[in-house]
Every structure is written in structure tokens, then in C-alpha cells.
Amino acid sequence: MNIVRPSTIAGVMELLPEDQLVFDKMKNIIEETYKKYQFLPIDTPVIEKNEILFAKGGGETEKQIYEIASDTRDMSLRFDLTVPLARYVAEHFSDLNFPFKRYHIGKVYRGERNQKGRYREFYQCDIDIIGHNKLAIENDAIPPRVIYEIFQKLDTPDVSFRINNRKLLNGFFESLGIDDTTEVLRLIDKKDKMGLENMKEDLVKLLDEKRAEKIASFIEAANSNQETLEKFAGLVENDLYEEGLKELGTVYKYMIKLGIPDKNIKLDPSITRGLDYYTGTVYETFINGYEKIGSVSSGGRYEKLADNFTKQALPGVGMSIGLTRLFYQLKEIGLVDKKEENLTEILIIPMSEEENFYAIDILNILHDKGKNADIYLEGGKLKKKFSYADKIGVKYAYIIGGEERENKTITVRNMKTGEQESIDFDSLDRVCK
């Protein structure tokens, strides 16, 4: 019989149990925080109809999608959680209450080019607030407040939110007579990588020196958020610009009121993300001191979530954490400590088969008390059994020999210090306090 060499496909993450425990803890923190802020869970199928996924046109997305092999070839794996959300809200519109606050944590699939830290299968953790016909701008302060709390619970260094408003940018471009903003936005988006001067040189080639200079000056933030708002006030006469500036100021004010410190917020007119999607507020989130790993959470405001599926106007705002990539990034920079995560707290070690039933009685009591306990039923020498306990990282070993079984006692060994004590069977509530 030929043995097939076991291997996974490139671009997927498969973890050993100690890492999976850390990953799951992160996922649970995210989910519990989403729930705390009253976002409701939904779960959509991993497989969607192609007419749904391609409703806004193919392009690069279609090239990256995983199609399901079938006779009809009309289904594919979802590539994000936003298109399924749009379909879900349109399909269940009459059963939902608006504003509709939802969270969705699930795997998505993209035919990414194989490279370090990029995945073809990965977890997305999304929150969105969807309105019907309109959604108050004050809601835009809620997603970053949720994300801020998540990263506090993850014990990372402080995070900072870089925030802008697309109306502010687009209104400014209108005042300069720039109709096609796509390439200008792409250049601004690359400012941090290419530097301000290099970006300005490319803008001169695209536009002219006068307008390039004005754009470069515009996207340079002031020393403080208040100075940035003052700098933009009355800079140009344009209705869209004024609307964007007002919205930006409102979101900033509400973020502070909700509990995000001013030092963790940066009003940054160079943030452009989602060239064809976001219409108002846009956010990027960075871990202070580790900005080089890029944004760890992003999102923004959109006006037409489901215009391909319904005539209802469904504006919304949301943010997303790419959990798989975040775990990889945090592990790479040493902010993930898998040694802190152990599932088993107590390992019961019967010395022989004769002690097994007594050991199981102890196991049952510990489980009833909510302890993370397990039992080692394999034979062998005591050294081998202690070695197993060490490897899985238990805190205590409960050693059960003939004497313990006869006297209804338990020898408790602290695996860290090596100290041992004998306790009565009826005193189990004293241990692991």
C-alpha cells in the first residue's frame, strides 16, 4: 500500500493544540465583546450562489474566488462576510429590526498569491450597524469603541485609530477641479510607504504642481486632533467638504465620550481605504510601536449595502478583524504566549488498574466542581506519567496508589514546585483555590 505524504495546501493555517487554545481564546474575547455591545450573531452559508457573489461585477474578486465543482457551476465559496450580509439583510428585511446590529465570525476563502502571512482560508470577525433609509452619524463611533476594548482584553500594547471621512476628501478634490479621483486616492493611500515627497512628485505628474502641493499640504495632519479640525475649518467652500468635516468632528467627539482616549485617536486625512465602497467615515487601527505590521482592524461607512439585491436603502457602518492574520502577526512579533494557555489543570494518575475506579470517582467530583481535570489510564512507570503531565502543562497531579485507595485520600503534587500533600477524599474543595 502506498503511503500518501500528509500535508496541507499552501495558504491555510493549521495549529497545534497549544496554539489553537490561544487562537480560540482570542476568538472568544472578540465574540464576547461583540455581544457586550449588543451586536446579534448571524451565520451564513460558506457557499453562496455566483449571482450573489458577483452581483457587483467580477474583476479581481472573480479571479480570486473558489468555485465549487458541480454540474451547474453556479456556486462558490464566500470571499468575505459583507456580500453575505447584504444578501442576508435583503432576504430577511421584513424580519429584522433597524438599526440592525450584527456580528459574524466565520471563515472566508480567497485565491491569494502564496506569500508569508497571507491566507487562502481565514477567519473574519465583522460587526456592522445597518440602518433603514438613514443611519445617524453618531453610530460611527461605536465600532472603534468595541475594537478598542477587544485589544485591551487581548493584552496588546495600546492601539490607535486613524480616522478620516471620504466626503471631506472628495469635497476637497471637487474644489480643485479633480473629477477622476481614483489614481489620486491610490497615491495618497501609499503615502506611508513611499513618503510624502515621492507621493507629491507622482501627483505632479498626474495633475500639476499647484494642485499637488495643495493635496500634500492638506493630508498632513496637525499636531493635535483639535488643530486638525481647526485647520480644515473654512479651508474650501464646498458642501460635500463641509458635510464630511462635520461628520468627522461628530464621530471624533462621540469616540471620546464613549471612552476612547484622545491620544488613541488620530484624525488623518490620508486614510482613504475602500476606494469604491466606503462613502463617509473610514478607519484604520494600528498597534502602537508595531505600525509596520499594518492595520489590525479597519472599516467604515457605506451608503448602499444591498443595492444589488433590494430597492430598500440600507446604509451602514462596520469594522472587521482578520483574526487568522492577526494571530500570525501577534505571534511573529512575540505578543502571543502560548505557555499561558493550558486546558488541563489537574491530571489524575492511578498507579495501577486497581485504582482506576477510585480515580474516576475523583474525576467525576472535580468535573462537577467545574475543574479542568483529566485522567491518565495508560500503564507504565511513574516517571513516564509525570513526564506526560509536564508536557501538557498541568498544575497539579493527583497520585492514586493502593494506600490512597484504601484510606480514601489523594496525594496532590504541585507540578511547578514539586511539593506534595495528602488530602482526604472529602476535602477536594480545598485544592486549586
Side-chain angles (χ1 to χ4, degrees), residues 4-21:
V4 177
R5 181 174 175 269
S7 62
T8 58
I9 64 171
V12 299
M13 177 182 281
E14 188 173 75
L15 302 172
L16 291 174
E18 55 266 30
D19 279 330
Q20 191 67 53
L21 284 169

Side-chain angles (χ1 to χ4, degrees), residues 254-404:
Y254 272 79
M255 285 175 65
I256 291 176
K257 185 63 178 177
L258 283 167
I260 303 177
D262 185 63
K263 66 182 180 64
N264 297 95
I265 305 169
K266 182 181 180 182
L267 304 184
D268 187 346
S270 69
I271 297 297
T272 64
R273 68 168 292 103
L275 300 180
D276 301 321
Y277 183 65
Y278 294 110
T279 56
T281 307
V282 283
Y283 329 85
E284 297 277 8
T285 314
F286 296 88
I287 299 176
N288 295 343
Y290 298 92
E291 288 82 2
K292 287 186 178 180
I293 70 173
S295 176
V296 292
S297 177
S298 57
R301 160 78 67 138
Y302 42 85
E303 293 306 317
K304 298 179 179 179
L305 171 71
D307 58 333
N308 290 295
F309 309 126
T310 179
K311 293 182 179 180
Q312 300 288 348
L314 298 169
V317 63
M319 292 188 76
S320 177
I321 296 175
L323 179 56
T324 305
R325 180 162 172 76
L326 175 64
F327 177 83
Y328 169 83
Q329 290 170 318
L330 295 184
K331 192 174 179 183
E332 283 286 291
I333 60 180
L335 294 181
V336 168
D337 186 1
K338 66 183 178 183
K339 293 180 181 178
E340 293 183 359
E341 295 301 317
N342 295 305
L343 183 62
T344 307
E345 185 180 21
I346 302 165
L347 181 66
I348 305 167
I349 302 176
M351 299 296 289
S352 69
E353 188 176 341
E354 292 181 346
E355 283 77 52
N356 282 355
F357 278 13
Y358 177 52
I360 290 172
D361 288 340
I362 295 169
L363 178 70
N364 290 336
I365 291 173
L366 291 172
H367 283 171
D368 288 343
K369 291 180 178 295
K371 301 294 184 183
N372 293 330
D374 199 2
I375 188 169
Y376 188 89
L377 294 172
E378 303 302 310
K381 296 181 178 180
L382 185 60
K383 182 179 179 181
K384 176 185 175 184
K385 298 178 181 184
F386 278 149
S387 175
Y388 176 79
D390 274 329
K391 288 178 179 178
I392 65 172
V394 301
K395 293 180 180 179
Y396 301 95
Y398 283 17
I399 305 163
I400 310 298
E403 184 177 340
E404 284 82 6

Side-chain angles (χ1 to χ4, degrees), residues 99-137:
F100 174 53
K101 298 174 68 175
R102 87 82 168 90
Y103 79 85
H104 191 179
I105 298 174
K107 288 183 176 180
V108 299
Y109 300 84
R110 292 182 193 172
E112 293 275 10
R113 183 168 58 89
N114 188 26
Q115 54 184 309
K116 191 175 182 181
R118 305 295 295 183
Y119 294 94
R120 294 175 175 177
E121 177 191 69
F122 55 95
Y123 272 98
Q124 285 290 115
C125 307
D126 289 12
I127 47 171
D128 288 87
I129 307 172
I130 311 300
H132 180 212
N133 292 325
K134 61 181 181 179
L135 182 70
I137 189 63

